[in-house]
Amino acid sequence: MRKKLLCIIFLFLLALGGCGAQDGNSHVPVAGEEIIPSNYAKEKNWMLLEEKGQKPADVFYLYPTSWARKDKKDYPVSTIQAKNMRKRARSVAASQARAFDMAGNLYAPYYRQVEAAFILDRDQEEQMAYYGGVPKTDVIAAFDYYIKHYNQGRPFLLVGHSQGAVMVKEILFDYMDKNPEVYKRMVAAYVIGFSVTEQELEEHPYLKFAEGPEDTGVIISYNTEAPGMTEKNPTVLPGAVCINPISWTRDETPASASENAGSLIKAEGREQKLEGFADARIDKERGTVICSTVDPAVYHSSDVEHFPLGIFHRFDFRFYYYNLKENAQVRVERFLEEWDGGR
């Protein structure tokens, strides 16, 4: 009886994803362990939820890392209720998710996250193991709940940035593999700020990477850097593939800043649309998008230890904001033109 009770308590702690009784030295669950997901029947666990779904397509959005410990002795995985994570997630979603609000009804769950400071110094295999633990458990549960209770058979976009992009990949590699009938309704997956690799595409041959501005059922992915970067970018993996977010092509032909539909940049104390701000060119050897018209000394991460000057990770969305906004609508329109309504 005592053993059964201890097992229940342990599973309860895993479900919480961290609490006052746990600290930075406690075990952090990894992929393959039994973890109880957060409850997505509770509306409070959704950041964005359009229950009636008036538009003909949906957008399922996953925010980037928004969780940071106040004390490094604290548990490195957030709870689902963590106030600072929720506040930061809402702030980021106000720009990122809203770039897609014309393309479809917005759905965005809160999900438990692994802190960046905990994970970025680890090798790729360890990182994927931790991402595949608590965060993946929540995201898969949230997406499954969305499909069964909110989607109503509509086409949908997947959108994520940074840790959110890793979670979109988990949906693509796991859920879509097991649910091909759902994958048929996917308009596109915007995996921004974390690499998709040639090896991953080979391992999941049902997936396709975008080749142009209008193809559907595809993955769109890129990471943005300044020219001449040689330092490690923690979000870029060996064999990374990407697409130019201005021209929507895969070759190395530069797209000028004048061709950019507009960036969303804070200037003069407010966020505003800037035209002619950011150019884009693919560097196939590095597997990134190069932006040469923006000063790295001005536009950089607060975490320069992991994201040195010249890595524009924070601005992957913002530099090409209106290109993403327009492209999402184009792909949805094309999908709806060709879709048979699931028949």
Side-chain angles (χ1 to χ4, degrees):
M1 181 68 182
R2 183 173 180 273
K3 183 177 180 181
K4 183 178 180 180
L5 179 61
L6 289 173
C7 182
I8 292 171
I9 293 172
F10 176 70
L11 290 175
F12 176 70
L13 291 176
L14 289 183
L16 288 178
C19 65
Q22 294 174 308
D23 59 35
N25 295 317
S26 299
H27 172 69
V28 178
V30 296
E33 295 186 23
E34 185 176 359
I35 304 166
I36 299 174
S38 297
N39 186 355
Y40 289 101
K42 295 182 177 181
E43 289 190 14
K44 67 180 181 180
N45 286 338
W46 291 86
M47 177 172 57
L48 298 171
L49 182 60
E50 299 188 40
E51 291 189 68
K52 294 184 179 180
Q54 300 297 312
K55 300 183 180 75
D58 293 344
V59 178
F60 187 86
Y61 166 77
L62 297 167
Y63 50 87
T65 305
S66 301
W67 158 249
R69 292 175 287 180
K70 294 180 179 179
D71 188 320
K72 296 307 177 187
K73 294 181 181 179
D74 293 341
Y75 196 59
V77 181
S78 70
T79 63
I80 192 69
Q81 302 94 354
K83 291 182 179 179
N84 67 337
M85 179 194 74
R86 289 189 172 214
K87 181 179 179 180
R88 174 60 179 161
R90 290 192 297 270
S91 175
V92 176
S95 59
Q96 288 188 356
R98 294 301 171 187
F100 295 83
D101 60 1
M102 297 300 292
N105 311 295
L106 293 176
Y107 298 86
Y110 289 110
Y111 68 99
R112 292 172 292 174
Q113 297 188 311
V114 181
E115 186 196 39
F118 172 80
I119 206 167
L120 287 179
D121 289 327
R122 302 172 189 273
D123 63 33
Q124 182 184 340
E125 185 175 349
E126 281 186 291
Q127 288 186 27
M128 292 304 109
Y130 286 120
Y131 285 135
V134 175
K136 176 183 176 180
T137 298
D138 272 7
V139 165
I140 294 295
F143 185 72
D144 186 60
Y145 193 88
Y146 151 76
I147 288 293
K148 292 176 178 176
H149 297 274
Y150 298 129
N151 175 253
Q152 304 299 317
R154 291 185 294 270
F156 59 88
L157 294 164
L158 297 175
V159 180
H161 182 241
S162 195
Q163 187 165 169
V166 179
M167 293 301 105
V168 171
K169 288 174 62 173
E170 294 287 7
I171 293 173
L172 292 170
F173 297 164
D174 188 333
Y175 192 93
M176 295 306 184
D177 185 30
K178 297 173 182 175
N179 298 275
E181 73 287 352
V182 175
Y183 177 54
K184 290 178 181 178
R185 300 202 307 276
M186 190 188 83
V187 177
Y190 288 81
V191 183
I192 311 299
F194 207 93
S195 294
V196 173
T197 70
E198 292 282 6
Q199 181 177 343
E200 288 170 336
L201 293 171
E202 290 173 1
E203 291 172 351
H204 304 88
Y206 55 92
L207 297 175
K208 300 180 295 181
F209 200 91
E211 298 291 341
E214 297 185 3
D215 43 357
T216 60
V218 296
I219 298 170
I220 294 99
S221 183
Y222 63 86
N223 289 269
T224 318
E225 297 181 335
M229 283 299 300
T230 57
E231 296 186 67
K232 178 185 176 182
N233 185 334
T235 64
V236 176
L237 306 179
V241 294
C242 59
I243 194 166
N244 188 311
I246 297 177
S247 63
W248 301 108
T249 58
R250 296 278 304 280
D251 60 38
E252 294 185 307
T253 303
S256 67
S258 63
E259 298 173 80
N260 192 324
S263 306
L264 184 67
I265 301 297
K266 190 172 184 178
E268 300 177 353
R270 64 184 181 88
E271 291 186 340
Q272 54 186 292
K273 181 179 180 179
L274 293 184
E275 297 181 350
F277 182 72
D279 66 355
R281 173 181 60 83
I282 289 177
D283 181 338
K284 286 192 175 183
E285 183 176 352
R286 192 160 168 88
T288 59
V289 164
I290 305 302
C291 178
S292 66
T293 57
V294 177
D295 185 354
V298 177
Y299 294 89
H300 59 82
S301 170
S302 57
D303 181 7
V304 293
E305 178 184 354
H306 295 110
F307 296 94
L309 296 185
I311 296 177
F312 294 127
H313 181 65
R314 282 183 59 200
F315 305 94
D316 288 323
F317 264 76
R318 291 182 175 275
F319 284 178
Y320 311 107
Y321 187 86
Y322 289 92
N323 300 279
L324 290 166
K325 189 177 185 71
E326 292 178 1
N327 184 250
Q329 294 174 63
V330 167
R331 293 187 196 272
V332 168
E333 289 170 4
R334 174 53 62 90
F335 188 95
L336 291 173
E337 287 173 1
E338 300 175 349
W339 191 44
D340 63 3
R343 294 186 293 273

